[in-house]
Amino acid sequence: MAMRIALALLLCGCGAGGSQAGRNDTAAHQMAMYSTGEGSEMRVDARRVFGPNFDLEVTPHGYRGTLHGALTMMESDDGAHVTGTRDGRPIDMHLDFDGVTLRASGLFAGKLGRLEIDGTVITSSVGRCGFDLKRSGGLHYSGQRACSDGMIAPADLELPEAFIRLPMHRQVMLLAALLYV
């Protein structure tokens, strides 16, 4: 029997820049991914990303902690190159923005991957599943996910307004973590 998953990201401060310790955000913004398979939930506040499969500390240039039980560190000193490790395997993604589309490509957890975000599509091949999502209204994206085990399933992604205000390198880090299924 297919199980419906919900990967949720609540953005409260989001670690978008300098220290926000002591900040009291009352409005939470949700980012949710729905598909078929196991479930996971992720929340982000000013100091950490957390949930059943995530426990990452927000750092000045990225995130560090555990992602799906593996030690993970992601950072970007220049906003154009995300580096780090997941379970000892390299993260080395180069970002390119042409004014419309944000592209990230390279290694994520030691495997070649890519992520592409624009106003109409989000595509990803980070992890064992690839996502092909088209904008269907507001910041809602719908499409499908195809996994290395041959499973193809519908998928939906809901982004909050706060997500598009994050620096591009943080968007890539959080989407890669969220879509790393």
Side-chain angles (χ1 to χ4, degrees), residues 9-179:
L9 174 63
L10 296 176
L11 300 170
C12 304
C14 309
S19 174
Q20 297 181 12
R23 182 173 170 176
N24 185 11
D25 288 315
T26 56
H29 305 281
Q30 182 172 344
M31 181 169 117
M33 171 56 133
Y34 303 97
S35 189
T36 303
E38 71 180 73
S40 186
E41 183 176 302
M42 177 196 296
R43 288 189 175 92
V44 174
D45 66 24
R47 284 175 244 132
R48 61 188 276 244
V49 178
F50 57 97
N53 294 316
F54 308 92
D55 191 6
L56 301 168
E57 175 186 343
V58 176
T59 67
H61 300 285
Y63 306 95
R64 72 171 169 236
T66 58
L67 171 61
H68 294 280
L71 289 176
T72 302
M73 187 273 300
M74 297 179 283
E75 66 180 13
S76 178
D77 292 328
D78 62 5
H81 186 207
V82 173
T83 60
T85 59
R86 181 185 181 277
D87 202 21
R89 294 172 289 183
I91 296 172
D92 186 7
M93 299 192 81
H94 296 269
L95 283 61
D96 177 57
F97 181 64
D98 64 10
V100 176
T101 303
L102 172 60
R103 293 178 183 85
S105 59
L107 296 173
F108 192 87
K111 296 183 179 178
L112 284 175
R114 66 171 175 73
L115 185 63
E116 189 170 303
I117 309 163
D118 70 24
T120 60
V121 298
I122 294 177
T123 58
S124 172
S125 64
V126 176
R128 65 178 189 82
C129 296
F131 291 84
D132 186 13
L133 307 168
K134 292 180 178 36
R135 192 171 187 173
S136 60
L139 291 175
H140 181 86
Y141 293 78
S142 295
Q144 68 179 16
R145 129 185 142 164
C147 299
S148 59
D149 62 4
M151 186 174 142
I152 297 174
D156 291 280
L157 176 67
E158 189 75 39
L159 297 175
E161 291 289 331
F163 180 81
I164 61 176
R165 291 189 298 271
L166 288 172
M168 289 183 281
H169 64 280
R170 287 199 184 266
Q171 290 180 19
V172 167
M173 289 179 209
L174 291 176
L175 272 178
L178 182 67
L179 299 177

